[in-house]
Amino acid sequence: MILDVLENGHRYLALNKGFAKAFDFLVRPDLKELSIGKYEIDGERVYAMVSKDPGRKKEDALLETHENYIDIQLVLAGTDVMGWKPRSLCDRSTGEYVQKSDLQFFADEPDAWISTNSGAFVIFFPEDAHMPSISSGILHKVVVKVAVVST
């Protein structure tokens, strides 16, 4: 898991071949004006989802994990207090991994809470269980999904 501000995004390009395209998208000057929805960046290898939704309460959320994608979650407005726990320590699965949605949920409690303000991003790798979108207000976010294996 990585927490940083967008101006430092270039420091992480070597971690995955898809990160250069992901961060190019995240620094677009019109990012805050984009409509809600999905944006292809490099086919299904790198794509973004723009959302503007009410935040969730901690008690209404579950930890989630992904096997095939890395999440880069950038907060555009609001504060997202994201939960985190090592996937290897999660033992309260609420169901099997669903390949189509690349999701598995866990009812474990997070080990840490990451207060992520506007302009900051968190990168969650497959080994990171995370609980995003925890907020008392409206969250405007972009989540870029980067395939673990970029060709």
Side-chain angles (χ1 to χ4, degrees), residues 4-20:
D4 207 338
V5 292
L6 191 54
E7 65 195 44
N8 292 330
H10 65 279
R11 296 177 186 260
Y12 306 102
L13 301 183
L15 296 178
N16 181 287
K17 291 179 184 178
F19 277 19

Side-chain angles (χ1 to χ4, degrees), residues 3 11 18 45 47 49 57 59 66 73 77 86 88 93 107 109 114-115 141-142:
L3 168 67
R11 296 177 186 260
R45 290 179 297 277
Y47 64 91
M49 296 175 297
K57 294 179 181 180
E59 58 269 18
H66 313 292
Q73 300 202 15
S88 62
S93 174
E109 290 295 319
I114 307 151
S115 185
K141 292 178 63 172
V142 179

Side-chain angles (χ1 to χ4, degrees), residues 22-34:
F23 281 103
D24 282 348
F25 182 87
L26 291 173
V27 298
R28 312 170 43 141
D30 64 340
L31 190 65
K32 288 185 177 183
E33 285 75 46
L34 292 178

Side-chain angles (χ1 to χ4, degrees), residues 115-129:
S115 185
T116 311
N117 297 316
S118 178
F121 66 87
V122 179
I123 301 175
F124 292 113
F125 296 91
E127 59 269 18
D128 298 312

Side-chain angles (χ1 to χ4, degrees), residues 55-80:
R56 306 180 294 172
K57 294 179 181 180
K58 292 177 182 179
E59 58 269 18
D60 296 334
L62 296 169
L63 285 165
E64 63 183 62
T65 61
H66 313 292
E67 291 184 13
N68 297 317
Y69 285 94
I70 299 163
D71 279 6
I72 303 174
Q73 300 202 15
L74 173 68
V75 177
L76 298 175
T79 299
D80 191 347

Side-chain angles (χ1 to χ4, degrees), residues 69-118:
Y69 285 94
I70 299 163
D71 279 6
I72 303 174
Q73 300 202 15
L74 173 68
V75 177
L76 298 175
T79 299
D80 191 347
V81 183
M82 301 184 212
W84 173 86
K85 183 178 186 106
R87 181 181 189 160
S88 62
L89 298 180
C90 292
D91 58 9
R92 296 180 52 210
S93 174
T94 63
E96 296 296 315
Y97 168 73
V98 179
Q99 187 168 353
K100 184 176 181 179
S101 59
D102 190 37
L103 273 170
Q104 184 170 13
F105 292 103
F106 294 88
D108 299 71
E109 290 295 319
D111 285 353
W113 293 99
I114 307 151
S115 185
T116 311
N117 297 316
S118 178

